[in-house]
Each structure stands twice: as structure tokens, then as C-alpha cells.
Amino acid sequence: MIHAENIYFKYYKEYVLKNINFSVKNGEIFGIIGKTGSGKSTLVNILSGLVKPDEGTVFIDGKNIFNKKESGNLLSKKISTVFQHPEKQLFNKCIYDDIAFSMKNQNIPEDIIKKNITEVCKFLNISDDILNSSPFCISGGEKRKCALACALVTKPKILILDEPTSGLDAYTANKFLNYIKEYHNKEKSTIIFTSNSVGNFAYLCDKILILDNGEEKILDKPENIFKKCKELGFSAPNIWQIISIINSKGYNIPEKTSTISEMQENIWKLIKEKEVENKCKI
Amino acid sequence: MQNLTFGKYISGNSSIHKIDPRIKIMASILLFSFIFSAKNLVSLTFVFFALLGTVLLSSIKLSRFLKSLKFILIFTSITSFINLIFEVYTMNKSIFDVKYNIVANSFITLLKLFSLILISSVIMYTTSPAGISAAISSLLSPFKYLGLNTEEIAITITISMRFLPILLSEAKNMILIQKSRGVSIEEKSIILKAKALLFISVPVFVLSLKKAHELAEAMESRCYNVNSQRTKYKILKLKREDLVAIIYIFAIILGVILCNKIKI
């Protein structure tokens, strides 16, 4: 369990995070949403144990992560962070070395490194050609996938993603999302992500924290956040907007519908129900 | 690294901000040479306080300057200490025989370095990169007649100054990224520390090359040509504030010359 308590952080004399409090249960997906400059990335750095807050602290499974015993290498075994534009971090002579980098820093034996890399590459569809190529010779989407592999290869208990789909096209972003979804289903690890919009990611979450100018504006379930999107200054996901229009006409499509295929199924169900109703009337 | 503030322009409307960048650059060169020629503590203390006055006039928080000085303080303290040890050694006396002038010499070196940093900080904080570029280009213009491409030199200097803070912030980000991947920056062993630095410097170097390439493409897409005759949006002209600044600088120089003649 992750528990953030009274977090305050300032750059020079200006507070960028003020009194942030939340808890994330093990295996939950937690979204941090806020506009540019709202303090999302700073909060990610604090949750990763990389930056110490001016006040308050973060507990993981009851242990203060800023205690000397918990920090550094020990923490990197528990938490993996995918930063904004993570492709920047790739620098080794081949992708394999980059994926193995964090495990080598943790002194994990070579055979386990090989096994983990094979597994993660199979999971993310990274071919041997890409594994052996230089990180400077592959496409942006592939680089992002490899950066995700760098984070997943250690099988972290906690995965933190800072705006993971920024700069990606819709197709690649969707694919990326599916990998994270699958990984969560498989490993049941805790996932924290940040985003600047209440987009596709929001559906995956168990809880969402909306940050506004470094302050906690609202902490609630996604369905409740979607209802308040206008007040909060965000636009609700397209599927949610369509559902609310259809439901306002007296129909009842489940609010948890998150994908186009689920939407298709629900609409077919509605049509069939209507047909049955009409037949009964005749 | 957080305390490195070099190259960060802070916009403002103070009298120091309004001074012609050419005057600022020329004044800094003059002051640099006179600070180096300062012989005693009195002249350096005079320069230091005159510069502090400039800092206050710039209406930039003193804490900002102190932060850049804090970083240098450690460096200068070490060099002053080495200087002190060497002077004691060359005079062939024990450390307990340290006379007033040896300690004063170390203090003079410290004050000289502080003054130099204060001058460069004032210029960096109060002059926009575009202003510096225009000033360098204008000051170098006489060298055109010697066949030098002054425009090219000016743009090169401006771009390097512009990119310094960006690269520093990229380096800061890279430290966080590599820390999260298990690289320990706070290693005690020098070899491990050097290794950790390699993991940071290589990606930052690659990033800087990429940024340079992007900038070159952006400039080319806007038809930038070094050899073409360029017009200027803002033409530098001397104003009343500049004359006041010139008088102020010459007063400092005169003060240094007079203080140098004082025998302690």
C-alpha cells in the first residue's frame, strides 16, 4: 500500500505541491490528472523516492521511503518509473543492454536477466532484431516500447508512469495502454500514472486524483469524476459523452463501458431489446 | 547542480535591465581587468560593495545571487586554502607563523573570484540572450574589415549560452531517470562515481546533439543564412541611463586606482 501524507514541495519559495494526501491499495490503478504545471511530475518524482518533499512523506507498505535504509537501490527494486519521453534514457550500444541495465545495477544473476528479458520481449512483441539494434536506430514508438520494457523487466511491485502516451499517435498510444492493462492483469501490481486529460487512461483507474495548481482538487472514482468533468475544466472521454447522450434519452447503457467493442455490444443489446418490445406491442 | 543559475535571464524593468548590453559587456571586461589588477583588500572591498549596489539596483532577489555564490564558495574556499598552504610552503615557514599578509592574500583571491561571479551573474540575469547576441555582433563589427564573419561568431556564442540552462535541466532529469534505474550517484568510491557520471553524460551528450540538429533544421526552415545582410528588429542606441552607467563604471575604476595606492 502506498500512502502519501501531507506532502508539500516548493521550488525556490513557491509551493508547487500543497497538502497532498492519498492512499493506493496494492494492485490498484491510480490516476493523477492535472493541467500542465499542476505538479504531476514533481509528485511522480516524490512517489518514486527520487525527490524528498519539503514536508510530509510517502509510506510504502508502512515504511517511510525517505528513510536511509529504504532509499536508493533498495527502492529501485520495488518501484519502476517510466518518465515523460522515456526514450531519452536509452543510451547503451544495443537495446538488450539497456533493458538489462537496471537489473545489472541490482546485481541480479545473468541467467535471471536473460530469462526476464526473454519474457518481457515476448510480452511486448520486441523482436530479436530490435533487441540487437542500437537505440538510436529504431522508431519513436519502438523506443517507447523498449523504455517500458526497461521498467517492466524487473517485475516491479509498483509501476509509475508519467504521461506515458504523450507524443504518441492514437494507434501506438492505444497499443501502449493495452500492454499496461495486460501487465496489470498478469502481475497484479500497483500502477500509478499521470495524464493531462481525462482520456482513455481514466477508465482503467480505480481512483483518480485531480491536481489543480499543486492542490488536491478531487479524489474519487472515475465515473464520478466524468460527471464533474465540465466543472473541473476537462472534457470527458468521448465514449462517456456518447453514453450520457444515449442515457439522457431514456436508455440504460452501463457507465463502466470503456472500449468501442463494449459499446458496440451494449448498443446491439439495446437494439435487440427494442425489437422484442416492438414485436410484443404488435 | 540545482544552484547553478548561469545563463538564466530574469526579465525585469530595473535600471540595470535598461542599460545597453554593449555597455554591460564592455564594463564587465574593464572591471574584470581592474579587479585582477587590484592589489589590496581595501580596493577589492570597495569593488565588492560597488557591485553589491549594482545587484540591489537590478531588483533581482539577493538570494538568487547568493545561491550562485554558494556553489562557488566551496570551490573558492578550497583554492584559497591551497593558496595559503603554498604561500606558507614557498616562504619556508611553519603554518603557525602565518603572517597577516598571507591570510590577506587568500582573502583577496576569494574576493576577486566573488566579484567576478557577481559581475557575470548581474549580466546574465539582466541581459536577454537576444541582447547579448546583438551586443556581441555590434562590438565585433569592426573585425568585419579584417575578413572575420562576426555574425557567425555572435550567433554561435548566443546559442551556446541559450543552451546551457537547457542542458543543465536535462542533466538534472537524467540523474533522476538513472537513479530510478538503480544507478547510485551518491557512491563513495571514485570509480563508481565516475561510472555513474558516464551513465548521465552519455545520454545528455546525445540529447545535446539532437537539440543542435533540431535547431539547425529550424533555422534552415526559416531560411537562415549567415552570409546574408541581416536587418535588426531592435537597433541598439545609447540612452541617458547608459551615460550614467558609464560614469558609474569609471567611478569604480577610479576608486580602484586610488585604493591601490593606499599602503597597508
Side-chain angles (χ1 to χ4, degrees), chain A residues 46-60:
Chain A
I46 291 171
L47 293 174
S48 313
L50 300 169
V51 172
K52 202 177 173 187
D54 290 307
E55 282 173 50
T57 190
V58 178
F59 295 96
I60 291 178

Side-chain angles (χ1 to χ4, degrees), chain B residues 212-232:
Chain B
H213 183 71
E214 276 167 18
L215 181 74
E217 277 186 345
M219 283 166 89
E220 250 178 67
S221 72
R222 291 160 86 177
C223 304
Y224 181 81
N225 183 7
V226 182
N227 297 319
S228 62
Q229 193 63 42
R230 302 184 67 75
T231 54
K232 289 204 166 54

Side-chain angles (χ1 to χ4, degrees), chain A residues 10-25:
Chain A
K10 59 183 172 187
Y11 279 119
Y12 294 104
K13 278 181 182 170
E14 217 171 296
Y15 277 100
V16 288
L17 286 176
K18 287 165 243 167
N19 195 23
I20 305 290
N21 291 286
F22 62 84
S23 294
V24 186
K25 285 177 193 160

Side-chain angles (χ1 to χ4, degrees), chain B residues 13-246:
Chain B
N13 206 23
S14 72
S15 43
I16 304 293
H17 279 86
K18 283 177 193 162
I19 296 171
D20 191 308
R22 288 173 298 179
I23 303 290
K24 286 188 208 172
I25 291 175
M26 285 305 290
S28 66
I29 295 168
L30 271 175
L31 283 175
F32 278 174
S33 48
F34 274 91
I35 284 168
F36 273 114
S37 70
K39 285 171 189 165
N40 55 35
L41 261 177
V42 181
S43 55
L44 270 165
T45 317
F46 170 73
V47 173
F48 190 72
F49 280 105
L51 288 174
L52 268 182
T54 322
V55 167
L56 294 175
L57 277 174
S58 71
S59 68
I60 292 167
K61 281 179 190 166
L62 199 68
S63 59
R64 285 220 176 217
F65 289 95
L66 290 177
K67 261 184 185 163
S68 50
L69 286 178
K70 198 173 103 185
F71 176 76
I72 299 297
L73 184 69
I74 305 159
F75 173 73
T76 43
S77 306
I78 294 166
T79 48
S80 301
F81 180 71
I82 293 169
N83 184 33
L84 184 79
I85 297 291
F86 268 91
E87 287 214 26
V88 169
Y89 179 74
T90 47
M91 287 176 88
N92 216 6
K93 284 184 178 174
S94 91
I95 190 90
F96 303 106
D97 288 336
V98 176
K99 277 184 184 172
Y100 164 74
N101 62 344
I102 302 177
V103 181
N105 276 349
S106 301
F107 199 64
I108 282 172
T109 321
L110 198 79
L111 265 181
K112 275 182 184 177
L113 282 166
F114 265 31
S115 308
L116 296 182
I117 291 155
L118 266 187
I119 295 170
S120 51
S121 298
V122 168
I123 291 179
M124 282 299 160
Y125 285 148
T126 60
T127 322
S128 68
I132 292 177
S133 167
I136 293 169
S137 159
S138 168
L139 289 171
L140 290 176
S141 57
F143 293 101
K144 268 183 197 169
Y145 304 107
L146 296 172
L148 259 178
N149 196 340
T150 53
E151 200 69 48
E152 201 171 349
I153 297 168
I155 198 84
T156 313
I157 295 170
T158 315
I159 289 171
S160 3
M161 282 194 304
R162 169 77 185 79
F163 270 89
L164 210 64
I166 294 174
L167 286 178
L168 281 175
S169 87
E170 288 290 357
K172 264 191 242 172
N173 283 341
M174 200 48 71
I175 289 172
L176 292 183
I177 290 173
Q178 302 300 35
K179 248 177 151 181
S180 80
R181 296 174 83 192
V183 174
S184 186
I185 314 288
E186 291 91 16
E187 283 289 349
K188 279 179 187 165
S189 142
I190 295 172
I191 298 166
L192 287 175
K193 224 172 200 173
K195 229 178 167 185
L197 272 177
L198 195 76
F199 300 142
I200 293 152
S201 55
V202 172
V204 172
F205 181 68
V206 172
L207 272 174
S208 64
L209 285 180
K210 262 188 194 167
K211 281 202 188 289
H213 183 71
E214 276 167 18
L215 181 74
E217 277 186 345
M219 283 166 89
E220 250 178 67
S221 72
R222 291 160 86 177
C223 304
Y224 181 81
N225 183 7
V226 182
N227 297 319
S228 62
Q229 193 63 42
R230 302 184 67 75
T231 54
K232 289 204 166 54
Y233 176 61
K234 275 185 185 171
I235 296 162
L236 298 174
K237 269 183 189 168
L238 290 179
K239 302 175 290 293
R240 209 179 58 185
E241 291 100 332
D242 302 324
L243 287 173
V244 176
I246 291 170

Side-chain angles (χ1 to χ4, degrees), chain A residues 118-132:
Chain A
T118 319
E119 262 178 47
V120 84
C121 289
K122 202 178 159 191
F123 174 67
L124 293 171
N125 285 329
I126 297 173
S127 66
D128 283 347
D129 282 345
I130 287 178
L131 264 187
N132 295 321

